[in-house]
Amino acid sequence: MVFEEVEDAQAFYKAYARRQGFAIRTNHTRLSKDDKTPCAVDYVCTREGFWRVSQKDTNRIMPEPAETKIGCKAIMGIKKDGEKWIVNKFVIGHNHILLTLRSISFLRGHRGVSKVQKKLIMTLNESGVSTRKIMSVLSKDSGGDFNVGCIGKDVENYLGSQRRKIFAEGDAQRLYSYFLDRQNKELGFVFSMQVDNDECMRSCFWADARSRAAYQYFGDVVTFDATYLTNIDKMSFVPFSGVNHYHQTIMFGCALLVNETAESYIWLLRTWQEAMLGRAPSTIITDDDKAMAKAIVEVLPNTTHRLCLWHILQKFPEHLAYVYSKFPDFQKDFRHCIHETITTDEFEQEWNLIVVKYDLGENTWLQNLYSRRDKWVPAYLRSTFCAAIDARYFKEKEKDVWTKSTRAIMKTPFKIEEEAALVYTRKSFMIFHDELFNSLQYQARRLSLTGEAKTYGVTVHAKLNRLPEHYVLDRWTINAKSRPIPHIPCCDDQVSVEVDEPTMRRSKSMIQLYDIVELASQLAKKHNHFTLALEKVHKEMLAMDEHVECSRAVSANDDQIVRSQVVSNFSQTVQDPPQDTNVKLTLYLMQQDAETKGFESYEEQLRKHFTAIYLCLAPTPHMAAIIVIIL
C-alpha cells in the first residue's frame, strides 16, 4: 500500500487494528542521515515486547499489576519512497486473544475524547454534573456504552488537564501568602502547612478564631469527614464540624489532604488538636475508613470513635443490591431493625431474624460490618452523647436574638417548664416541652424495692415542680458561650472592630464636619479659620501615618510572636504539590477569596472561609450561587 502522509498510514493501521481486535503503538522511528527527518516508522501491537526487570518496582506494596507486554510479533512498517510512504513489512499473527468490537473500545489505544464530547463534558461539568452522569449522557448520545469511545477515567483526566491549563504556577505560595495576610488581619486565625523534602506542599489546615472558640463550647462531639471532592480534585477537603446549642452545624476548622493515608490523618489530627488548645473531643464521628481509624487511636486514644450511620447506610444498596431487588420487604425490615430498636437485645433479635430470613449468613461484607456494630448501630450508642449531625447552616446570631427577645409559649402550668424556657435555647426548649407535655398523662411511683431491683407503677396524671439541675446540659443552654476562652481572642469584638468601626468613625466625622462647614460658610473670617485648621490637621495626620508605618516595621516580629498561630517549620517559599493532585483550582479560588470583604454574619464568614473549596464543583457563577444557597 502507498500513503501520502505518515499520519494516513498510522490512521489506517489503527482502523485495521480496531476491526481485528487489538491496539497499536509507535515502536520505532528512523531518521534520515541527511536532514534528520523521519524516513521509516514501525507500528506494533501494544502487547509487543516485554517489561524490563528494572522497570518493575521491587518495593511495591500493592499487588503487581497484570502483564500487558507478552512478545506479540504483529507489526506494520512503512518507509519513505520519494514523496510518499510505502508498506515494507507486515506481520499478521498475534500470540494472544483478539477482542470483539464491543470490547475493543476499552483498550487505551482506541479510547479518546472527541472535540464534540469535550464541549459537552465541559458544559455538563460547569453545571455540577458528576462524571458518572456525564458518562450516562455520552452513552445515550452515542447509542450505547460501547459506542462512546472513552471511559469515566478519560473524562476525569480531561477535566483535570483543563483545570491545570487555566491557572499558572505558584498557587501554593499564594495560598501561604494568603494565610499570612489573614493571620496579620485576624487575631486568632491559625494555619499549618505540611511540606515534603523538596519544599512542596503536601497538606494544609486552617481555622479562624470563631471556629476555635466554638470548639471550646461545643467540641464534645466532632464530625470528621474526608468524603468531599475526593473524586473531583484528587485532594480531599476535610471539614471538622459539630453542632451548637441551636442545633446548627458549625465548623471547627478544615484542611486539604494530599492523600488519605494514616500518616496524613495523624498529622492533621495533631495539628487540629494543637489549634484547639490541646482539647480532645468526647466523641468523634467518621466515615468507615481504616487509615482514619488508625490515626484516631494514636492521636485521640481517650475519644470514643463512632462511625457515621448515614455513610454506612449509603453502602447497603451497593453491597446488597440483589437482596433489595429480590425481596421488596427487606428495606422495611432492615430500617426497623436499625432505627426502631431501643435496646441491644432487641437489635440482636431482629438482626438475626433478618440474616436467616434473607439468607445473609455468608455475606462477608455484612458480617464484617456487624462485628463493629457498637460503633454505628443506634441501639449501642444510647449511652454515648453524639449531639446531632443532621443540622443545616443558619445564622447563629439571629437565633440567639430570637430566643432572648421573644417568650416561649407555655403548654403547662408547671414551674419546671418556665425554668426550662429560661435556660434552654428555643430549639432545645421546643424539644423539651413536647416531651414534657406528652408525659403529663403519666405518673410513675415506686411500688417495691428488692435489693438493687426497683419496681414502678405507671398511672395517669403526673405533677412536676422543678427542673433538676443535673438534667440540664450546659451546651444546650442560652449561656453556653458565656465562658471566656483563654488564648483565643474574642471573635465577636474583633469582627465588629474590623468591619464596623471605620464606617462608624467616618459617619461620626461627617456629621461633625457638616455642622462646622455650616458655621464656616456664614462669615469669611470663620471660613479662613476653618481652612487653616484643616490644613494643619491634614499635615499632622500625614505625619502620624509615617510614624505608624515605621512602628509597624520595627514591631513586625513581635506581633508575629504575640499572635496565636500554628505554622509548620519550613522556609517561606512553598512549591506547588505534585501535579497529580490537581489542587490548583482550589488554591486559586481561595486566593481570590482573600479579596472579598464586608461579610456581616457568621454564616457568611463561614462561607468566606470554606465556600471556595466547594466552588471547585461549580466554576460558573450560576452553580456557585446554588452551592452557596445549599451551604
Side-chain angles (χ1 to χ4, degrees):
M1 295 188 67
V2 179
F3 300 96
E4 296 291 333
E5 302 290 343
V6 66
E7 292 80 10
D8 297 336
Q10 182 180 19
F12 168 79
Y13 193 49
K14 183 175 182 180
Y16 166 81
R18 183 180 182 85
R19 291 194 301 271
Q20 295 297 316
F22 68 100
I24 69 168
R25 62 179 172 84
T26 302
N27 185 48
H28 184 61
T29 300
R30 289 183 290 277
L31 302 179
S32 171
K33 294 181 180 179
D34 298 330
D35 55 6
K36 302 301 180 182
T37 59
C39 63
V41 182
D42 289 342
Y43 300 105
V44 299
C45 174
T46 52
R47 310 200 69 177
E48 181 272 344
F50 298 93
W51 284 110
R52 298 174 185 173
V53 177
S54 59
Q55 290 180 304
K56 295 184 178 180
D57 187 357
T58 57
N59 297 321
R60 179 184 294 273
I61 299 176
M62 299 298 290
E64 189 74 22
E67 293 281 10
T68 55
K69 295 187 176 183
I70 57 175
C72 182
K73 300 298 184 181
I75 185 175
M76 184 184 86
I78 59 173
K79 70 175 182 178
K80 198 165 188 180
D81 185 10
E83 296 298 323
K84 298 182 182 296
W85 294 82
I86 63 172
V87 177
N88 67 327
K89 66 177 76 170
F90 192 82
V91 177
I92 299 178
H94 295 265
N95 64 348
H96 55 89
I97 298 175
L98 298 178
L99 301 179
T100 64
L101 284 174
R102 291 176 61 85
S103 302
I104 195 66
S105 59
F106 290 99
L107 289 181
R108 181 178 299 179
H110 292 296
R111 297 196 329 248
V113 182
S114 67
K115 292 182 179 180
V116 175
Q117 288 176 334
K118 289 177 180 179
K119 292 181 180 180
L120 179 58
I121 288 170
M122 292 305 298
T123 301
L124 294 174
N125 180 68
E126 289 173 359
S127 300
V129 179
S130 65
T131 301
R132 180 177 59 81
K133 292 183 179 179
I134 289 176
M135 286 300 301
S136 178
V137 173
L138 294 177
S139 175
K140 292 180 181 178
D141 189 55
S142 305
D145 295 338
F146 296 99
N147 300 322
V148 174
C150 62
I151 61 176
K153 185 66 175 177
D154 300 323
V155 174
E156 291 180 1
N157 290 339
Y158 171 69
L159 291 173
S161 66
Q162 294 305 300
R163 283 193 289 265
R164 287 193 295 272
K165 290 178 181 178
I166 294 175
F167 304 105
E169 299 293 329
D171 289 325
Q173 183 64 37
R174 283 196 290 274
L175 175 62
Y176 177 61
S177 301
Y178 164 61
F179 281 156
L180 286 179
D181 181 65
R182 284 282 302 278
Q183 195 170 70
N184 289 331
K185 294 179 179 178
E186 299 180 22
L187 292 174
F189 179 86
V190 297
F191 75 94
S192 181
M193 298 182 80
Q194 184 187 36
V195 297
D196 58 20
N197 296 331
D198 297 323
E199 298 296 323
C200 289
M201 190 189 85
R202 304 298 294 169
S203 301
C204 66
F205 164 82
W206 69 98
D208 65 356
R210 274 199 172 97
S211 297
R212 299 173 66 205
Y215 177 78
Q216 303 304 315
Y217 298 118
F218 310 113
D220 42 7
V221 179
V222 174
T223 299
F224 179 41
D225 195 346
T227 60
Y228 291 99
L229 305 185
T230 302
N231 296 326
I232 301 256
D233 252 1
K234 307 297 184 183
M235 198 171 188
S236 299
F237 170 57
V238 185
F240 292 86
S241 60
V243 176
N244 67 6
H245 51 326
Y246 291 104
H247 297 251
Q248 302 163 348
T249 300
I250 51 176
M251 286 288 190
F252 300 141
C254 54
L256 291 172
L257 289 185
V258 72
N259 55 45
E260 298 179 24
T261 62
E263 290 73 19
S264 293
Y265 287 131
I266 289 172
W267 173 85
L268 175 57
L269 288 175
R270 285 176 175 167
T271 303
W272 172 72
Q273 191 174 17
E274 181 182 352
M276 300 300 129
L277 307 182
R279 177 187 172 188
S282 300
T283 304
I284 189 166
I285 303 171
T286 74
D287 187 18
D288 188 10
D289 185 275
K290 293 182 179 179
M292 193 182 295
K294 180 180 178 181
I296 291 173
V297 170
E298 180 169 336
V299 182
L300 304 172
N302 298 321
T303 296
T304 301
H305 180 202
R306 298 297 185 225
L307 301 180
C308 177
L309 178 61
W310 184 87
H311 281 128
I312 290 178
L313 294 181
Q314 299 305 304
K315 299 177 181 178
F316 270 81
E318 174 186 350
H319 290 275
L320 301 176
Y322 69 98
V323 182
Y324 277 81
S325 60
K326 185 177 180 180
F327 302 103
D329 293 336
F330 172 75
Q331 186 172 3
K332 178 182 176 182
D333 293 344
F334 173 72
R335 289 185 62 84
H336 188 275
C337 175
I338 299 298
H339 297 288
E340 304 299 331
T341 53
I342 304 299
T343 66
T344 57
D345 290 339
E346 289 178 11
F347 167 78
E348 293 291 346
Q349 183 178 2
E350 289 204 20
W351 181 274
N352 292 331
L353 289 175
I354 288 176
V355 170
V356 174
K357 180 178 179 180
Y358 298 105
D359 193 21
L360 296 172
E362 301 298 324
N363 189 294
T364 55
W365 177 82
L366 192 65
Q367 293 305 314
N368 178 267
L369 199 60
Y370 172 77
S371 66
R372 292 172 291 144
R373 58 194 179 280
D374 60 314
K375 292 185 178 295
W376 63 276
V377 175
Y380 280 88
L381 306 180
R382 303 295 180 192
S383 61
T384 301
F385 178 63
C386 293
I389 60 174
D390 58 350
R392 298 181 179 180
Y393 287 96
F394 287 104
K395 297 179 180 178
E396 179 177 318
K397 200 65 178 179
E398 179 181 337
K399 292 290 186 181
D400 192 29
V401 173
W402 179 63
T403 295
K404 294 179 180 179
S405 62
T406 60
R407 184 178 183 273
I409 298 176
M410 304 298 161
K411 288 189 175 182
T412 72
F414 301 131
K415 185 72 174 178
I416 186 174
E417 186 179 20
E418 293 182 8
E419 290 188 4
L422 293 176
V423 298
Y424 282 129
T425 64
R426 190 57 45 80
K427 177 69 175 181
S428 299
F429 173 74
M430 296 297 290
I431 297 174
F432 170 82
H433 90 153
D434 284 344
E435 292 292 332
L436 174 64
F437 183 77
N438 293 332
S439 69
L440 293 182
Q441 56 183 316
Y442 303 108
Q443 180 178 17
R445 57 190 180 88
R446 194 170 69 184
L447 300 179
S448 63
L449 173 63
T450 306
E452 296 296 327
K454 300 177 182 178
T455 303
Y456 286 84
V458 179
T459 58
V460 177
H461 213 59
K463 185 176 180 180
L464 302 171
N465 295 314
R466 296 190 60 82
L467 179 66
E469 293 184 2
H470 61 275
Y471 287 142
V472 179
L473 199 60
D474 287 341
R475 64 144 16 252
W476 298 121
T477 64
I478 298 172
N479 299 318
K481 297 175 66 175
S482 61
R483 173 172 53 91
I485 306 299
H487 311 299
I488 298 180
C490 179
C491 49
D492 288 336
D493 292 341
Q494 171 205 339
V495 172
S496 63
V497 170
E498 180 182 350
V499 176
D500 296 332
E501 282 199 6
T503 303
M504 293 177 62
R505 288 194 295 267
R506 188 181 300 108
S507 300
K508 185 177 180 180
S509 299
M510 290 299 293
I511 293 173
Q512 291 177 326
L513 279 173
Y514 180 80
D515 292 336
I516 296 173
V517 169
E518 283 293 316
L519 290 173
S521 64
Q522 296 173 1
L523 296 172
K525 183 178 179 180
K526 290 183 178 181
H527 181 267
N528 292 335
H529 176 72
F530 176 59
T531 302
L532 292 174
L534 277 180
E535 292 178 354
K536 180 181 178 182
V537 171
H538 189 203
K539 292 179 181 179
E540 291 176 349
M541 292 179 69
L542 290 176
M544 290 172 63
D545 287 341
E546 295 177 357
H547 177 71
V548 169
E549 292 297 329
C550 181
S551 301
R552 286 177 179 174
V554 172
S555 62
N557 293 333
D558 295 336
D559 289 342
Q560 291 296 326
I561 295 175
V562 172
R563 295 180 187 275
S564 175
Q565 57 183 311
V566 182
V567 182
S568 297
N569 184 22
F570 58 88
S571 66
Q572 293 189 355
T573 301
V574 189
Q575 303 297 325
D576 291 336
Q579 288 297 315
D580 59 354
T581 59
N582 295 337
V583 74
K584 292 183 178 296
L585 177 58
T586 299
L587 302 179
Y588 176 83
L589 288 170
M590 292 175 62
Q591 187 270 338
Q592 293 293 311
D593 184 57
E595 301 175 3
T596 305
K597 302 296 180 183
F599 293 93
E600 297 178 353
S601 68
Y602 182 33
E603 178 187 9
E604 291 178 80
Q605 284 285 347
L606 283 174
R607 290 175 180 168
K608 173 184 176 183
H609 301 158
F610 307 122
T611 302
I613 306 298
Y614 288 87
L615 291 182
C616 297
L617 289 170
T620 64
H622 174 68
M623 284 308 299
I626 293 176
I627 291 175
V628 169
I629 292 172
I630 293 174
L631 288 177

